[in-house]
Amino acid sequence: MSRSSFEESLMQFVEELKDESEMTEKQRRILQASLKLFAAKGFHASSTAEIAREAGVAEGTIFRHYKSKKDLLLAVVAPVLVKFAAPFILKDVRVIFQEQAKKPLAEVLTELYRNRLELIGANEKHVRILLQEAFFHEEIREAMLSTVYQEVKRLAAKLIEERKEAGELRPLPTEAVFRMVLSSLVGLILFKHVTEPEEYAKRSDEEQIALTVDMLLYGIANR
Amino acid sequence: MSRSSFEESLMQFVEELKDESEMTEKQRRILQASLKLFAAKGFHASSTAEIAREAGVAEGTIFRHYKSKKDLLLAVVAPVLVKFAAPFILKDVRVIFQEQAKKPLAEVLTELYRNRLELIGANEKHVRILLQEAFFHEEIREAMLSTVYQEVKRLAAKLIEERKEAGELRPLPTEAVFRMVLSSLVGLILFKHVTEPEEYAKRSDEEQIALTVDMLLYGIANR
DNA sequence: AGTGAAAGTGAGTAATCACTCACTCATTCG
DNA sequence: CGAATGAGTGAGTGATTACTCACTTTCACT
């Protein structure tokens, strides 16, 4: 059920995704208003009446383009999954494996963290909605895990094992190393966007990334 | 506004908290049903009619005890803030600073991670609601940050600086070290409860914690 | 200029929402 | 025993919900 529900609802959705150029003005404004309201108040707390008002559109117009409110949520959210999945898989697969295979690990990690911070900064509201609604909608949660996460993990595992064999990484379990790399990134993102925006801002992104990569590679203990 | 809103709504709430013994049977069942539904579907998607049905109670009974639905949410959530804040501040302040001041850092961290994993495992639904609703309700978000987080940070900063002076920790910025310690913990929790429960379960909690502390202290790189 | 299709509208609908209130029942206390 | 108190009830409230549909407007193409 949930597997096919995911493939039917999300994959179908991604296929049918119009790019912005072939939308009408009003349709674009509906998406924009939904983005704003969903991010601010959440999906269930945002009514279609409010969305229509915010978009300067009749309520009926929403349902002309999206057959239900949930459809509208998916339309807002799906492009981000594509945006996140595609750069991760398409761009970084090249960056990490081809260009950077000879580069030092610290540089690869720095580039990765920089790239992810930028991507999230540029899509803050979308990410917000994605995380919020992943709590409730299994389709979204599963889409995130099975599309983005699993692929990232697969790529990372390969890289980690290569570097382990090359003696650059300690002989630790691959998935533990992966967890640590991801944890550091998530922590960095949380500090920047949630818990301590001002404290974070005392250092530049570059400094924060450099610190994080350094601690990740060499630990916090003195030897 | 938000400062006083926090103090008025949450602090007042915590003061008025009845413990379970002085609740009626029905009141306990209302809280229990709310916990279940809020955790499963979220606050806005759970109706008071549904809560009443789940609790086996008339809808009016809910409003006899809680003057609004939001009041009910706070009643479900507040005890967790107290549970989390109190053990963190009261118990761990002793554990970390008095008993463990002479212990090796690895042991202190291990004890801390073990303790937090247990606490979260025992309150999974509450934590879930707390995080979900922190997205939308500023009072909850601010309560978490200003009560729990700030205090934890203050305590951790002290510990970190002591260990830095003792030469056990590298001379890194305190808040960067704090971020790393917390990131590792959050990552561990996410892997256990969200992304990879099965993968995680291949190793015992103790092993996972030991791995995490090891990577945190000494890094993932070979030297 | 005329036609067909798509875009847009907004009043209307049944369902559901959080919440109220007049009431009953059980318990306690003087 | 009688009065007072508070828990519990469920039908009823107006507001709001997502969604529909008969209709008008816009516009591309002949």
Side-chain angles (χ1 to χ4, degrees):
Chain A
M1 233 291 279
S2 74
R3 176 67 57 90
S4 71
S5 142
F6 154 65
E7 292 211 22
E8 276 171 40
S9 73
L10 186 97
M11 279 312 188
Q12 168 193 342
F13 229 90
V14 169
E15 303 262 326
E16 287 173 4
L17 262 189
K18 305 177 178 179
D19 67 303
E20 292 202 359
S21 62
E22 42 185 319
M23 288 179 187
T24 61
E25 167 67 16
K26 305 240 169 182
Q27 195 174 354
R28 238 173 288 126
R29 294 177 62 180
I30 289 168
L31 280 182
Q32 187 187 325
S34 303
L35 176 66
K36 179 175 170 184
L37 288 173
F38 289 167
K41 316 172 52 177
F43 174 70
H44 278 291
S46 310
S47 69
T48 50
E50 204 179 356
I51 293 169
R53 205 181 316 124
E54 174 78 28
V57 149
E59 205 174 341
T61 308
I62 293 175
F63 293 95
R64 171 91 24 205
H65 295 288
Y66 306 97
K67 66 175 191 285
S68 71
K69 191 186 164 193
K70 184 153 187 173
D71 238 54
L72 179 56
L73 172 65
L74 290 180
V76 171
V77 145
V80 194
L81 282 177
V82 178
K83 260 191 186 172
F84 268 72
F88 235 133
I89 294 163
L90 294 180
K91 183 185 156 199
D92 293 347
V93 78
R94 270 178 237 142
V95 172
I96 294 181
F97 282 91
Q98 294 175 12
E99 300 175 29
Q100 309 221 4
K102 330 116 196 184
K103 289 191 184 176
L105 193 56
E107 224 170 282
V108 180
L109 288 169
T110 301
E111 177 58 32
L112 180 70
Y113 283 12
R114 185 158 41 212
N115 180 276
R116 291 305 103 179
L117 273 185
E118 274 168 20
L119 194 59
I120 285 173
N123 297 279
E124 208 175 335
K125 283 184 186 171
H126 290 91
V127 172
R128 201 182 166 82
I129 296 175
L130 210 50
L131 289 180
Q132 277 169 200
E133 301 312 327
F135 273 108
F136 311 119
H137 304 276
E138 202 195 321
E139 305 145 347
I140 293 180
R141 188 167 54 238
E142 198 159 335
M144 286 175 63
L145 287 180
S146 66
T147 306
V148 182
Y149 178 78
Q150 290 301 331
E151 188 61 16
V152 170
K153 193 183 163 191
R154 209 181 54 77
L155 291 172
K158 205 169 165 187
L159 179 78
I160 289 167
E161 272 154 27
E162 283 174 10
R163 300 282 178 160
K164 271 203 292 196
E165 278 166 31
E168 288 178 84
L169 286 175
R170 296 168 56 197
L172 296 157
T174 299
E175 86 274 2
V177 175
F178 173 62
R179 166 156 59 79
M180 203 66 183
V181 172
L182 205 57
S183 297
S184 306
L185 175 59
V186 169
L188 195 60
I189 292 164
L190 287 179
F191 265 59
K192 179 170 180 182
H193 288 98
V194 181
T195 56
E196 318 237 24
E198 325 83 18
E199 179 75 31
Y200 178 94
K202 288 180 186 166
R203 293 184 164 77
S204 68
D205 274 354
E206 279 307 310
E207 283 176 286
Q208 296 284 12
I209 291 171
L211 267 170
T212 306
V213 169
D214 184 63
M215 289 189 292
L216 172 64
L217 287 176
Y218 307 114
I220 61 173
N222 230 340
R223 314 214 212 191
Chain B
M1 230 291 280
S2 73
R3 176 65 57 90
S4 72
S5 142
F6 154 64
E7 292 211 23
E8 277 171 39
S9 72
L10 187 98
M11 280 309 186
Q12 167 194 342
F13 228 91
V14 169
E15 303 262 325
E16 286 172 3
L17 263 187
K18 304 177 179 180
D19 67 303
E20 291 201 359
S21 62
E22 42 185 318
M23 287 180 189
T24 60
E25 167 67 16
K26 305 241 167 181
Q27 195 173 353
R28 237 173 287 126
R29 293 177 62 181
I30 289 168
L31 280 182
Q32 187 186 323
S34 303
L35 175 66
K36 179 176 171 184
L37 288 173
F38 288 167
K41 316 173 52 180
F43 173 71
H44 278 291
S46 311
S47 70
T48 50
E50 204 179 355
I51 293 168
R53 205 182 317 124
E54 174 78 29
V57 149
E59 205 174 341
T61 309
I62 293 175
F63 294 95
R64 170 99 15 212
H65 294 289
Y66 306 97
K67 67 174 191 288
S68 71
K69 192 185 163 194
K70 184 152 187 172
D71 239 54
L72 179 56
L73 172 65
L74 290 180
V76 171
V77 146
V80 194
L81 282 176
V82 177
K83 260 191 189 171
F84 268 71
F88 236 131
I89 294 163
L90 294 180
K91 183 185 156 199
D92 293 347
V93 78
R94 269 178 238 143
V95 172
I96 294 181
F97 282 92
Q98 294 175 10
E99 300 175 29
Q100 309 220 3
K102 330 116 197 184
K103 289 190 183 176
L105 193 56
E107 224 169 282
V108 180
L109 288 169
T110 301
E111 177 57 33
L112 179 70
Y113 283 11
R114 185 157 43 211
N115 179 276
R116 291 306 101 178
L117 273 185
E118 275 168 20
L119 192 60
I120 284 172
N123 296 279
E124 208 175 335
K125 282 185 186 170
H126 289 92
V127 172
R128 201 183 166 81
I129 297 175
L130 210 50
L131 289 179
Q132 277 169 200
E133 301 312 327
F135 272 108
F136 310 118
H137 304 276
E138 201 195 321
E139 305 144 348
I140 293 179
R141 188 167 54 238
E142 196 158 336
M144 287 175 63
L145 287 179
S146 66
T147 306
V148 182
Y149 178 78
Q150 290 301 331
E151 187 62 15
V152 170
K153 193 184 163 192
R154 208 181 54 78
L155 292 172
K158 204 170 167 187
L159 179 77
I160 289 167
E161 272 154 26
E162 282 174 10
R163 300 283 176 159
K164 271 202 293 195
E165 278 166 32
E168 288 178 84
L169 286 175
R170 294 169 57 199
L172 296 157
T174 299
E175 85 274 3
V177 175
F178 173 61
R179 165 156 60 79
M180 203 67 184
V181 172
L182 205 57
S183 297
S184 306
L185 175 59
V186 169
L188 195 61
I189 292 164
L190 288 179
F191 266 58
K192 178 170 182 183
H193 288 98
V194 183
T195 56
E196 318 238 24
E198 327 83 18
E199 178 75 32
Y200 179 94
K202 288 181 186 166
R203 293 185 164 78
S204 68
D205 272 354
E206 278 309 309
E207 282 176 287
Q208 296 284 11
I209 291 172
L211 267 170
T212 306
V213 169
D214 184 64
M215 289 188 291
L216 173 64
L217 286 176
Y218 306 114
I220 61 173
N222 232 341
R223 313 213 215 192

